[in-house]
Amino acid sequence: MKIALAQLNYIIGDFNFNTSKIISAIREAKTKGADLVVFAELCVCGYPPRDFLEFSEFIDSCENSAREIAKECNGIACIIGLPTTNPKTEGKDLFNSAYFIENGELKTVVNKALLPNYDVFDEYRYFEPAVQFDCVDFMGYKIALTVCEDLWNINDNPMYVACPMDELISQRPDLMINIAASPFAYNHDEERVQILGDNCRKYKLPLFYVNHIGAQTEIIFDGGSLVFDEEGSLLDEMPYFQEGLKIYEFENGKVKGFKPIVHDPQGDIGQIHDALVLGIRDYFKKSGFTKAVLGLSGGIDSALVCALAAEALGPENVMAVLMPSEYSSDHSIQDALDLVKNLGCQHEVIPIKEATLAFQQIMMPVFKDLPFSVAEENIQARSRAIIVMAMSNKFGYILLNTSNKSECAVGYGTLYGDMAGAIGVLGDVYKTQVYKLSEYINRERDIIPRNSIIKPPSAELRPGQKDSDSLPEYDVLDAILFQYIELKKSSSSIIAKGFDEALVKRVLKMVNVAEFKRNQAPPILRVSPKAFGMGRRMPIVGKYLS
């Protein structure tokens, strides 16, 4: 039996696009002699469909697409993922299903049992868990077909009805196939390989695993579809952050022609870079946009976003707007100019001094003789937002936000100012990672000017201002934030690791107080195990400080 794994990039709700892409892959696999071609979880509609699932027409469109796909399955079988209607009156209206299609007809429906309801996942909101599990017979083999979490979470959990593989193994299957929608995080590939390999060892079966690639707003899928032998040894992994179709031959319980390999991760920073480029590219492509605009200050954050955008969209589609104030240093302006020269992107220089002075004069009768403060600083940031949004409206650019995760965490940003944007490129990237990413961008030649990397970070909103005037040094700040956000450690646990008690409590309070800002921030490209946004849901007015 020849099995093709189709690792594709889908668009949520674009049934014509998804169906055409699936059919094209079926034809390619058939041409190459495959007997079965396997697609990812909910491939027909795209993942995650969220509240689209509440529209009956959406479910009807899934079924119509499945019928179109079935017409192509003559001389080849396929497995596709889609939501299906629960025929029973009790429980939720839908199942998260896999269709096994053979000879132009639906042969078997396999429903997902273990519905993830944590971090970015919300499947228990929509789907009913399966309680019955049967193998699929095909070409003389018994296939244990499962959907994502059904082969991922094998631990007992009271909300889950059953563990499918524990039921299926009693039917003596010959191999496992798992269709998945496993989002990217920089540490997830190693975890994925380990857990799936453990399951192969537990059940003593080979595994064919297929994943999505592509970005769906903030969620990024990295692909990396996998094949294991019955001893849990990794035999092959498909490319990361790329579409692909690959055929494997299975015979007498073995995957032929492959020897065990060692998973060789690219490294966290390299993976984050590729994920961000894909995230930007897909956000624009799937939204129907082509051109980006951003404010370029000469600092490292905006320089990195500009470089990533130029790689994702092409430098000709990136407009960098330099908006110097009366406090901007000459070297910051030059650093920004050097960057656009290195990248070859478009740029404009629009000073904001007159605009900010005009606003200050307008406010003078109200502010009177009160001293210069954050109010005037924020007028500068909001003046810049007015300019880049005017560019967006006039020329059809989409604004990229350049705030990093450290700033987002502690509220070091101006609402309706530098927090403006359609998509947050670095909102899940700590400042210390920003430096590493910038060095990665410069790995072959200097693209981001060295001065942008080595100079003390500053918003340049007042004379001589540095970030360290308001924040701890970033290496210390990021270490505390990582413990609190990613690892969910309490203040006492963080203090016990040797961090200053007063500093820890100050930082954690800043994080909690800034929740109202993050709720008004743009969606953020998710690259870590715990990103701000849909995967971290905190009350705005809560008083809890662990």
Side-chain angles (χ1 to χ4, degrees):
M1 176 171 57
K2 291 185 177 180
I3 301 172
L5 301 187
Q7 179 177 285
L8 304 179
N9 190 345
Y10 306 98
I11 300 176
I12 295 171
D14 192 335
F15 293 102
N16 290 334
F17 178 86
N18 296 342
T19 302
S20 175
K21 179 159 281 199
I22 291 168
I23 288 174
S24 178
I26 290 172
R27 291 173 179 173
E28 179 185 352
K30 186 175 180 180
T31 300
K32 293 180 177 179
D35 301 299
L36 171 65
V37 55
V38 186
F39 299 90
E41 177 181 10
L42 293 184
C43 61
V44 171
C45 62
Y47 189 99
R50 298 182 182 166
D51 281 5
F52 278 164
L53 293 168
E54 296 180 352
F55 292 86
S56 59
E57 294 85 358
F58 188 85
I59 307 305
D60 292 342
S61 295
C62 291
E63 290 289 352
N64 291 336
S65 293
R67 283 191 284 271
E68 288 297 311
I69 293 166
K71 294 176 184 177
E72 295 291 326
C73 292
N74 290 302
I76 189 171
C78 82
I79 296 170
I80 56 174
L82 69 163
T84 61
T85 303
N86 179 6
K88 297 182 180 179
T89 55
E90 68 272 13
K92 298 184 179 69
D93 294 335
L94 300 173
F95 288 112
N96 181 344
S97 303
Y99 273 11
F100 194 103
I101 298 172
E102 183 182 5
N103 296 323
E105 296 182 352
L106 173 62
K107 178 177 180 178
T108 306
V109 180
V110 172
N111 297 323
K112 188 175 183 178
L114 309 184
L115 303 173
N117 204 44
Y118 56 86
D119 199 71
V120 298
F121 300 104
D122 210 6
E123 290 191 31
Y124 204 71
R125 172 185 175 98
Y126 306 103
F127 298 117
E128 181 70 9
V131 294
Q132 181 177 344
F133 313 105
D134 294 294
C135 289
V136 181
D137 293 316
F138 181 64
M139 294 185 64
Y141 294 104
K142 281 186 176 292
I143 300 172
L145 173 59
T146 56
V147 182
C148 203
E149 194 88 355
D150 286 358
L151 196 63
W152 183 273
N153 186 339
I154 61 174
N155 298 320
D156 293 333
N157 190 319
M159 71 174 287
Y160 295 142
V161 177
C163 182
M165 274 309 305
D166 288 343
E167 300 284 332
L168 291 169
I169 198 66
S170 64
Q171 300 172 33
R172 302 177 66 82
D174 299 290
L175 71 157
M176 299 183 289
I177 294 178
N178 183 262
I179 64 172
S182 182
F184 169 76
Y186 61 76
N187 64 341
H188 195 50
D189 56 327
E190 294 169 290
E191 182 183 23
R192 186 189 296 151
V193 169
Q194 180 64 50
I195 289 177
L196 294 176
D198 287 346
N199 276 294
C200 292
R201 282 183 284 274
K202 174 180 178 180
Y203 297 111
K204 297 180 174 56
L205 290 174
L207 167 66
F208 297 85
Y209 165 92
V210 64
N211 191 24
H212 286 251
I213 77 109
Q216 309 292 0
T217 312
E218 63 267 67
I219 300 179
I220 301 167
F221 297 94
D222 58 342
S225 300
L226 304 166
V227 178
F228 295 85
D229 67 16
E230 71 281 2
E231 296 177 353
S233 297
L234 179 64
L235 299 181
D236 195 36
E237 53 186 341
M238 292 179 65
Y240 288 82
F241 306 105
Q242 298 177 34
E243 289 187 296
L245 184 144
K246 194 165 184 179
I247 296 177
Y248 304 88
E249 187 168 358
F250 177 80
E251 184 178 359
N252 297 324
K254 303 287 184 180
V255 181
K256 296 179 65 177
F258 289 88
K259 295 181 179 180
I261 61 173
V262 176
H263 173 61
D264 185 18
Q266 181 183 5
D268 293 351
I269 296 302
Q271 290 185 80
I272 291 171
H273 166 270
D274 291 354
L276 293 176
V277 170
L278 177 60
I280 296 168
R281 183 180 294 137
D282 268 13
Y283 182 84
F284 277 74
K285 183 178 179 180
K286 295 179 180 181
S287 300
F289 304 119
T290 57
K291 296 182 181 296
V293 65
L294 73 154
L296 188 64
S297 68
I300 191 170
D301 297 319
S302 60
L304 176 58
V305 171
C306 193
L308 291 167
E311 185 174 350
L313 307 174
E316 70 279 6
N317 293 315
V318 178
M319 169 60 74
V321 185
L322 287 65
M323 296 170 285
S325 74
E326 60 181 311
Y327 306 119
S328 297
S329 62
D330 292 339
H331 65 73
S332 290
I333 299 170
Q334 189 59 51
D335 292 339
L337 291 172
D338 289 344
L339 176 73
V340 296
K341 180 180 178 181
N342 292 343
L343 291 172
C345 62
Q346 302 178 70
H347 79 281
E348 295 285 350
V349 181
I350 306 176
I352 65 166
K353 181 178 179 179
E354 291 183 8
T356 56
L357 287 175
F359 278 116
Q360 290 173 26
Q361 289 172 357
I362 290 171
M363 298 305 298
M364 194 175 293
V366 180
F367 288 175
K368 297 187 169 92
D369 57 353
L370 291 171
F372 185 96
S373 70
V374 69
E376 286 80 9
E377 292 181 4
N378 286 344
I379 284 174
Q380 295 176 69
R382 292 182 178 124
S383 296
R384 290 184 170 114
I386 290 171
I387 290 170
V388 288
M389 283 307 303
M391 297 284 287
S392 173
N393 295 155
K394 184 63 70 174
F395 302 112
Y397 297 118
I398 297 303
L399 177 59
L400 297 177
N401 179 267
T402 63
S403 300
N404 62 62
K405 189 172 187 175
S406 308
E407 295 170 345
C408 292
V410 297
Y412 191 63
T414 303
L415 272 177
Y416 328 119
D418 57 308
M419 291 182 66
I423 189 77
V425 177
L426 300 180
D428 197 27
V429 180
Y430 287 116
K431 187 75 168 189
T432 47
Q433 293 174 310
V434 167
Y435 286 106
K436 293 176 182 178
L437 275 167
S438 298
E439 296 288 3
Y440 184 85
I441 293 282
N442 287 358
R443 63 194 182 278
E444 295 180 357
R445 65 182 179 93
D446 276 358
I447 295 173
I448 297 174
R450 296 304 304 170
N451 198 51
S452 292
I453 297 174
I454 64 176
K455 67 186 176 185
S458 170
E460 294 190 327
L461 298 177
R462 62 176 183 269
Q465 181 190 31
K466 298 193 295 291
D467 289 3
S468 57
D469 297 339
S470 304
L471 301 175
E473 294 294 339
Y474 279 114
D475 57 345
V476 177
L477 175 63
D478 289 355
I480 295 172
L481 292 174
F482 181 81
Q483 292 290 322
Y484 184 49
I485 297 167
E486 270 85 345
L487 301 185
K488 298 182 281 291
K489 298 296 185 182
S490 66
S491 58
S492 58
S493 297
I494 300 172
I495 293 164
K497 291 182 177 293
F499 293 97
D500 177 75
E501 179 177 354
L503 178 59
V504 169
K505 291 185 175 180
R506 175 189 164 214
V507 169
L508 268 56
K509 183 177 181 180
M510 292 169 74
V511 174
N512 293 352
V513 168
E515 192 63 42
F516 80 100
K517 286 188 176 183
R518 289 191 291 275
N519 270 261
Q520 299 177 71
I524 290 168
L525 296 177
R526 177 187 184 270
V527 297
S528 81
K530 182 59 66 174
F532 293 128
M534 63 179 296
R536 188 179 188 271
R537 307 174 194 182
M538 295 290 182
I540 293 175
V541 297
K543 297 298 182 183
Y544 173 71
L545 179 61
S546 66

